[in-house]
């Protein structure tokens, strides 16, 4: 195995769920060159590629479908911010959107995915307001410790949020 592929493999082991664009930036590789090396690692069974939410995430073998989904979600800035905010306890969805500075539709988008992954619970109070809480705070703390966002990830997520806000009017 080439030295570059060994370094890529070690990086994926240390940063499970890192997406291809981030790997390209971190290793200063052209897209084609990165794809070539990742394809070789996939064929050898050294990494698993998992396309989620418009990005291809790379994992070492051994992560199940649910773990890959949760890590991919936690690598998204807004989803990660929702999880971190809910570590403090249950919160009304409207208040959470205001606190995070995101449009309610953006919050709803991420909440739907986080609920689908079993990370958060949702309930309605007597007035019909939606309240959010973590399904398993300890597991969420562990998940957040696994992901370490880089500046590129944050910029992509912020651009997506800006477009969402512009479309919401």
């Amino acid at each position: 195995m080439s030295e570059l592929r060994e370094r890529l493999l070690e990086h994926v082991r240390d940063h499970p769920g890192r997406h291809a664009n981030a790997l390209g930036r971190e290793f200063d590789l052209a897209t084609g060159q990165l794809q070539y090396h990742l394809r070789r690692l996939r064929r050898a069974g050294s990494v698993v590629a998992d396309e989620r939410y418009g990005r291809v995430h790379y994992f070492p073998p051994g992560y199940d479908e649910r773990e890959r989904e949760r890590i991919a979600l936690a690598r998204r800035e807004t989803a990660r911010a929702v999880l971190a905010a809910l570590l403090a306890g249950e919160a009304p969805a409207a208040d959470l959107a205001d606190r995070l500075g995101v449009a309610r539709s953006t919050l709803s988008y991420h909440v739907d995915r986080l609920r689908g992954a079993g990370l958060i619970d949702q309930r309605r109070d007597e007035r019909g307001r939606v309240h959010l809480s973590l399904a398993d705070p300890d597991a969420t703390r562990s998940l957040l410790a696994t992901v370490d966002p880089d500046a590129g990830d944050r910029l992509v997520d912020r651009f997506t949020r800006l477009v969402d806000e512009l479309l919401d009017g």
Side-chain angles (χ1 to χ4, degrees):
M1 182 181 306
S2 76
E3 179 185 330
L4 176 58
R5 278 195 294 281
E6 286 180 20
R7 287 184 23 236
L8 269 169
L9 179 57
E10 182 178 330
H11 193 75
V12 169
R13 286 180 184 144
D14 292 342
H15 305 281
R18 189 71 99 205
H19 62 83
N21 291 341
L23 290 170
R25 285 190 304 269
E26 291 161 356
F27 283 83
D28 194 27
L29 294 174
T31 303
Q33 188 180 13
L34 176 67
Q35 289 172 343
Y36 169 79
H37 289 290
L38 289 171
R39 188 171 36 253
R40 296 280 305 263
L41 288 170
R42 282 194 344 255
R43 284 185 188 149
S46 302
V47 298
V48 175
D50 193 342
E51 186 173 345
R52 298 202 183 256
Y53 316 112
R55 294 179 178 168
V56 178
H57 299 265
Y58 290 89
F59 296 87
Y63 284 84
D64 66 26
E65 179 84 15
R66 187 71 145 187
E67 291 169 320
R68 291 193 310 264
E69 177 184 25
R70 289 176 170 187
I71 290 172
L73 278 168
R75 288 207 173 275
R76 311 260 332 175
E77 183 179 22
T78 302
R80 190 173 48 256
V82 168
L83 293 171
L86 291 175
L87 282 171
E90 182 178 290
D95 293 353
L96 188 58
D98 291 342
R99 189 173 356 144
L100 296 177
V102 298
R104 289 184 186 182
S105 61
T106 299
L107 180 67
S108 177
Y109 171 86
H110 290 284
V111 164
D112 287 347
R113 278 142 191 82
L114 291 166
R115 283 182 59 221
L119 291 168
I120 63 173
D121 294 324
Q122 177 178 307
R123 71 169 183 84
R124 291 193 180 270
D125 65 15
E126 61 281 350
R127 294 175 42 203
R129 294 186 324 167
V130 174
H131 291 257
L132 304 171
S133 62
L134 294 175
D136 184 343
D138 290 334
T140 299
R141 279 186 195 88
S142 176
L143 174 64
L144 292 175
T146 299
V147 299
D148 52 11
D150 69 357
D153 289 337
R154 289 191 302 269
L155 287 173
V156 169
D157 288 336
R158 288 178 185 168
F159 176 75
T160 303
R161 187 178 333 147
L162 174 65
V163 169
D164 288 345
E165 290 171 1
L166 291 173
L167 292 174
D168 283 343

